[in-house]
Amino acid sequence: MENVKFVRSEEKGRILYLYFKIHDRIADFIRKHTHYYEALLSDFLDTDNIYRYSLDGTECSDELRELLIGTIEKISNEGSDDYFCNHLITNNGREVAPSKIHELMCEKYGLADIDAVEDTEDYDQGQVDLEWWTAHFFISLKNVIFDDPYPFEGDDEAQPEAMCHETLSFSEVSDFLKILKSIDKIVVVDDVRKYGPEELSRLCEELKEDDKEN
């Protein structure tokens, strides 16, 4: 079943954007459960159900890019749209930990076990990168469903959509600082302008994983 189909790629500075057409029922599932207002959701899932996935272009060669696209499509399209929604990006509608998605990539789909392979002598960075970016495609979709895009104190239901769109965009430095404050950590980055919705979500997930390990 064609749940996901690659459309095009785009590079902006160090960021590589991969655009995928998402099956209508999967897009409907995301819109039904997401906490994002439509104006902000459309920054990375537009009205034509084209999903924008971002990664560090400096670490993704042309060869890895083609392999990554093919792997994402293969895994996404092996099952039904129901399987995609309830087993790849959620656990039957409940939030699934990023580590479980990595585990699924390894155990069910045969990608590298990144925890084990890094300790081997024939360490293959390409296979590690492939597993990492494939898993994070599904993690990023999971984040769209479960993340709170507006972490601030007060009654969020009283916040008008227009105001959220204008003043609470992830592209604003003020929101970046709010997210950092919400996880009780200060993170220094080289250029905050490089951090869009997916990058911020990924940063939050990585910090949560670090907290669990520590």
Side-chain angles (χ1 to χ4, degrees), residues 118-184:
E118 290 181 349
D119 297 327
T120 63
E121 294 182 358
D122 56 344
Y123 173 75
D124 188 336
Q125 184 62 49
Q127 291 301 310
V128 171
D129 290 340
L130 176 63
E131 191 283 332
W132 179 265
W133 291 120
T134 301
H136 273 269
F137 172 80
F138 301 105
I139 291 169
S140 68
L141 283 168
K142 183 273 296 183
N143 289 341
V144 173
I145 297 172
F146 294 103
D147 278 2
D148 179 5
Y150 309 113
F152 68 98
E153 295 181 359
D155 183 3
D156 57 351
E157 292 185 0
Q159 191 83 350
E161 180 173 349
M163 181 180 295
C164 290
H165 180 54
E166 293 175 6
T167 64
L168 293 175
S169 169
F170 267 122
S171 63
E172 298 295 332
V173 175
S174 60
D175 289 306
F176 183 71
L177 295 176
K178 288 176 184 176
I179 291 175
L180 294 182
K181 181 180 178 182
S182 72
I183 57 176
D184 298 321

Side-chain angles (χ1 to χ4, degrees), residues 43-62:
D43 286 344
F44 43 100
L45 179 63
D46 68 18
T47 54
D48 294 322
N49 296 335
I50 303 296
Y51 178 70
R52 187 186 72 182
Y53 176 47
S54 66
L55 55 151
D56 188 343
T58 63
E59 298 182 1
C60 189
S61 64
D62 291 342

